[in-house]
Amino acid sequence: MAEKFTINDSELDIEYKKEKDLIVKGVSKSKDTPTFHVCYPKDVKNLVFSMHFAAKKTSAENEIFFYMRYRDKDTHCCFSLRSGKEIRFYIKSAGKYTIDTTYIPITSDSLLNEKFDFIVSAFEDTFTVLIDRTIVINLDHMPEDSGKFGMDFVSLNDDDFNLYLEDFSLSDEILNFEPILDIPKNPDAYFMIANIFYEQNNYDLAIYYYRRGLHYGRGDCKVFNRMGNLLYIFEEYESAEKYYRAAGKEDPVNVEYKINLCRSLIKQNKSDEFRIMIDDFAADGIVDKELFIDYAGYLIDNKKYETALEYLGKIESECKESPDFESKMGRCLTEMGDLVRGQKYLLEASRLYYDKNPAD
């Protein structure tokens, strides 16, 4: 253990044995008093903490508290794990709870619980789990103080305990662990939540959870494609292109991913590339109404009305209820001088739009 750290608690018998193991003996009395706390100077920004429980308390029903920014029992923030089944996060300031999530079960049913998501977010912002017994704590204590990191082992009764923590170590040499920091967390839970929000058209939350999942691990072609779709909706076409390319790389024969990539390229006016793709689609007999509508818009903007009309004509039978199609067709015919038919399409576009968006 580095010399700059000290471990103490006046009510406990603490022994650091052979600079390897930590033995903590005492009696659980109060949830407000840590079993032991580690003091560190204020210049320490990260704390690498490693241990292994070699002995357990006699009571099966117990709680483990992790205190961060620990000043005293009235001012601190804390994670608490109860019986390995429930988790809680709270912040206490001047003796009052400013945030308290109460206990929430650690089950799949809690994944969409806003409080559970808040706890997960707060935990990830504070702890980086490296391996099964080593964590990095991002210290965010009050700058005028040196700090404390506390751990509290509490049972329902006033039980004697004898904690034996094997291979206990503390260090602020965070750079030594940089290769391990790249180990990803499991992203599956995030992708599962994101999929639910995606299907519910709750796109802001979907993109948030997809990004969190991708932060902790690699997605598959479906995740990349959905990220592209979300970014396309938000008109972030360059970013959408990146994800569509990633999806295509994972599954090179998937036509949907190629079409989506082509649409993102059209929106960015990257004609050298999307023209080749359009020709390939035509050669393969691929017809996609959204792609052709986008392509027709590009052609109209570049005064290539005959070609635009040709592509719109290929999908007209599929687009009877599409305001985008009616609008493009109306624009094209109007620019070609066919004002009567053009006006008819434009009026139909307006009607369809307001039928689908009555609040507007």
Side-chain angles (χ1 to χ4, degrees), residues 73-180:
K73 66 179 182 179
D74 290 328
T75 305
H76 59 266
C77 61
C78 177
F79 290 99
S80 177
L81 184 67
R82 184 163 65 186
S83 302
K85 299 177 182 179
E86 298 175 298
I87 192 167
R88 170 191 177 197
F89 175 77
Y90 68 81
I91 296 176
K92 209 172 185 182
S93 178
K96 296 181 180 180
Y97 290 99
T98 57
I99 293 176
D100 189 355
T101 64
T102 66
Y103 280 99
I104 298 174
I106 304 173
T107 66
S108 58
D109 293 336
S110 297
L111 289 176
L112 295 181
N113 186 304
E114 290 183 1
K115 289 183 179 180
F116 188 82
D117 180 57
F118 174 80
I119 294 174
V120 171
S121 299
F123 189 85
E124 289 173 352
D125 288 343
T126 306
F127 296 90
T128 301
V129 180
L130 302 180
I131 51 179
D132 60 348
R133 53 192 289 181
T134 303
I135 61 176
V136 169
I137 304 169
N138 301 314
L139 301 172
D140 185 20
H141 55 77
M142 300 165 191
E144 68 273 14
D145 291 342
S146 56
K148 296 178 183 178
F149 162 66
M151 292 186 67
D152 189 1
F153 301 83
V154 179
S155 67
L156 298 177
N157 304 312
D158 291 345
D159 291 339
D160 293 340
F161 60 88
N162 184 344
L163 293 172
Y164 196 104
L165 308 179
E166 289 182 336
D167 298 327
F168 183 90
S169 65
L170 291 164
S171 173
D172 65 337
E173 298 296 332
I174 185 70
L175 294 179
N176 293 343
F177 287 82
E178 280 189 339
I180 308 176

Side-chain angles (χ1 to χ4, degrees), residues 213-226:
L214 289 168
H215 177 72
Y216 293 122
R218 181 171 176 80
D220 58 18
C221 55
K222 292 181 180 178
V223 169
F224 294 141
N225 184 62
R226 286 196 164 184

Side-chain angles (χ1 to χ4, degrees), residues 314-332:
K314 293 179 179 181
I315 57 173
E316 184 165 13
S317 62
E318 304 176 42
C319 297
K320 296 300 184 183
E321 297 298 320
S322 169
D324 287 340
F325 169 82
E326 300 287 345
S327 175
K328 296 293 191 305
M329 184 67 88
R331 280 182 59 202
C332 189

Side-chain angles (χ1 to χ4, degrees), residues 182-193:
D182 291 331
I183 296 177
K185 298 180 183 179
N186 191 327
D188 293 344
Y190 299 123
F191 292 149
M192 180 179 70
I193 298 171

